[in-house]
Amino acid sequence: MSRPGKPVLVVLGVLVLHTVVFAQNEPLINVTDHITLPTDTNLPQVTLQCNLTTVSYNHRWSYWTKNGEEIPTTRTEQKNIEYKINKPRAEDAGEYMCVYTFELAPLANASIEVKSAPDITGHKRSENKNEGERAVLYCKSVGYPHPLWTWRKLGEGASFDIDNSSGRFFISNKDNYTELSIINLDIESDPGEYECSANNMIGNSTMTSVLRVRSHLAPLWPLLGVLAEIIVLVLIIVIYEKRKKPDEVPDDDEPAGPMKTNSTNNHKDKNLRQRNTN
Ligand SMILES: *[C@@H]1O[C@H](CO)[C@@H](O)[C@H](O)[C@H]1NC(C)=O
Ligand SMILES: *[C@@H]1O[C@H](CO)[C@@H](O)[C@H](O)[C@H]1NC(C)=O
Ligand SMILES: *[C@@H]1O[C@H](CO)[C@@H](O)[C@H](O)[C@H]1NC(C)=O
Ligand SMILES: *[C@@H]1O[C@H](CO)[C@@H](O)[C@H](O)[C@H]1NC(C)=O
Ligand SMILES: *[C@@H]1O[C@H](CO)[C@@H](O)[C@H](O)[C@H]1NC(C)=O
Ligand SMILES: *[C@@H]1O[C@H](CO)[C@@H](O)[C@H](O)[C@H]1NC(C)=O
């Protein structure tokens, strides 16, 4: 038998490679179950595990991601990997994945959800605006899954849920962030407390913001205050002058300067004398 020619070798080679790559099992990953962080107690630690069980093509790297981003320093060549979260809190919740990369095959991954009740970590405590202006309140949360947001206006016996229907309130939600805009502020009905709530299947969290609405005239108040002061001063001077005039006339020729103390004493005496005669 003659040795096969070059083209035949190439075809054989491709066939062999083909079977090596495709006749093997898809990678299988054994993973820990989804985890729900309790709302009432603090766990000391949770451990996420992935074991790459069936694979024959060359494994290259293993690493972890959280919410789609690689967690630094988790890259390794091992096939059984774990990721520990110490004292897990709401901000640690999210979608984790272990990712395996291979020399000659697409990457494989498996996801582990770490769920927790939302926790509102940021909100506007207070907002001060003039009537007719626009107020913007917001809240943002950590926790997973992302919450459903609601807003309430609090008031004695007059609390109500806010939605877009009134035409002056606008709520816009983006995953872990919510914003309430109130346009054309009304000085009678709008001031007060506003409450944002974040709800998911694990739990909920609420925070309160205070909205103050000032009158249109508010910026003028300091000016009006100064004006009022001037008017009062002028009035006082005018009244004082009017009451003083009859007394003053006889004093006109009194000497000024060092004699002043005497002159005021004279005034007192005169006043006393006048009062006594009355
Ligand atoms: C992964 O393998 C280790 C042993 O190497 C085992 O203890 C662990 O339970 C396995 N984890 C899973 C999720 O199968
Ligand atoms: C994967 O884990 C299951 C139990 O969680 C176990 O029965 C099975 O043997 C594991 N597979 C491998 C290949 O380790
Ligand atoms: C996980 O695998 C899917 C395909 O199975 C891929 O579309 C996705 O981009 C992978 N995600 C990551 C973070 O590697
Ligand atoms: C909110 O979610 C986005 C992704 O949806 C994330 O990038 C961001 O870090 C989150 N913010 C907080 C405070 O968790
Ligand atoms: C409210 O209106 C704003 C702006 O028109 C819109 O972006 C938002 O999706 C609406 N929110 C709801 C809950 O309908
Ligand atoms: C918020 O959670 C508490 C328990 O933590 C529950 O009683 C209440 O009904 C929840 N509120 C909403 C609006 O889901």
Side-chain angles (χ1 to χ4, degrees), residues 69 89 100 114 129 183 207 243 254 278:
E69 290 187 14
R89 292 144 50 91
Y100 293 96
V114 177
K129 288 287 174 184
I183 60 165
M207 279 293 165
R243 290 187 46 170
E254 271 183 20
N278 286 349

Side-chain angles (χ1 to χ4, degrees), residues 26-67:
E26 288 292 297
L28 269 182
I29 305 170
N30 248 8
V31 295
T32 41
D33 291 333
H34 299 314
I35 293 167
T36 298
L37 301 178
T39 44
D40 44 357
T41 54
N42 293 318
L43 296 177
Q45 191 178 64
V46 298
T47 304
L48 315 181
Q49 285 184 330
C50 281
N51 293 346
L52 182 62
T53 55
T54 4
V55 69
S56 309
Y57 21 83
N58 281 344
H59 168 244
R60 194 74 202 96
W61 295 110
S62 310
Y63 57 85
W64 290 93
T65 66
K66 181 187 177 192
N67 298 329

Side-chain angles (χ1 to χ4, degrees), residues 41 94 128 149 162 165:
T41 54
N128 300 314
W149 292 100
I162 295 171
S165 63

Side-chain angles (χ1 to χ4, degrees), residues 7 10 51 76 79 112 176 182-183 188 192 197 205 217 245:
V10 169
N51 293 346
T76 168
K79 293 180 182 173
I112 304 171
N176 46 20
I182 310 170
I183 60 165
E188 295 296 326
S197 297
S205 170
L217 295 176
K245 272 227 166 91

Side-chain angles (χ1 to χ4, degrees), residues 4-186:
K6 233 183 183 179
V8 181
L9 266 180
V10 169
V11 169
L12 271 178
V14 167
L15 276 176
V16 167
L17 198 69
H18 201 87
T19 24
V20 166
V21 173
F22 294 99
Q24 289 173 346
N25 296 324
E26 288 292 297
L28 269 182
I29 305 170
N30 248 8
V31 295
T32 41
D33 291 333
H34 299 314
I35 293 167
T36 298
L37 301 178
T39 44
D40 44 357
T41 54
N42 293 318
L43 296 177
Q45 191 178 64
V46 298
T47 304
L48 315 181
Q49 285 184 330
C50 281
N51 293 346
L52 182 62
T53 55
T54 4
V55 69
S56 309
Y57 21 83
N58 281 344
H59 168 244
R60 194 74 202 96
W61 295 110
S62 310
Y63 57 85
W64 290 93
T65 66
K66 181 187 177 192
N67 298 329
E69 290 187 14
E70 182 172 347
I71 304 174
T73 75
T74 58
R75 205 168 261 257
T76 168
E77 293 186 348
Q78 287 168 353
K79 293 180 182 173
N80 290 0
I81 57 174
E82 52 178 42
Y83 184 68
K84 288 181 158 60
I85 308 170
N86 291 317
K87 300 208 176 85
R89 292 144 50 91
E91 68 209 46
D92 297 309
E95 190 183 17
Y96 289 81
M97 263 189 192
C98 54
V99 181
Y100 293 96
T101 67
F102 305 96
E103 306 254 335
L104 291 171
L107 58 75
N109 60 41
S111 84
I112 304 171
E113 287 180 359
V114 177
K115 298 177 196 164
S116 92
D119 183 17
I120 297 175
T121 52
H123 74 292
K124 187 170 264 181
R125 286 174 206 282
S126 68
E127 172 92 318
N128 300 314
K129 288 287 174 184
N130 293 332
E131 60 182 318
E133 285 184 342
R134 169 200 188 92
V136 179
L137 306 173
Y138 71 84
C139 293
K140 60 179 181 180
S141 69
V142 292
Y144 186 84
H146 293 311
L148 286 176
W149 292 100
T150 52
W151 283 90
R152 278 178 78 71
K153 169 90 160 63
L154 305 181
E156 282 143 33
S159 300
F160 62 91
D161 289 329
I162 295 171
D163 58 33
N164 271 358
S165 63
S166 77
R168 285 202 307 118
F169 298 98
F170 295 98
I171 297 173
S172 97
N173 300 327
K174 198 167 173 266
D175 293 345
N176 46 20
Y177 180 83
T178 182
E179 198 173 83
L180 168 66
S181 308
I182 310 170
I183 60 165
N184 196 11
L185 283 174
D186 183 86

Side-chain angles (χ1 to χ4, degrees), residues 202-228:
I202 321 293
N204 57 53
S205 170
T206 64
M207 279 293 165
T208 305
S209 310
V210 176
L211 173 63
R212 298 187 193 89
V213 182
R214 291 177 303 186
S215 144
H216 274 311
L217 295 176
L220 291 178
W221 281 345
L223 201 70
L224 291 179
V226 169
L227 269 180

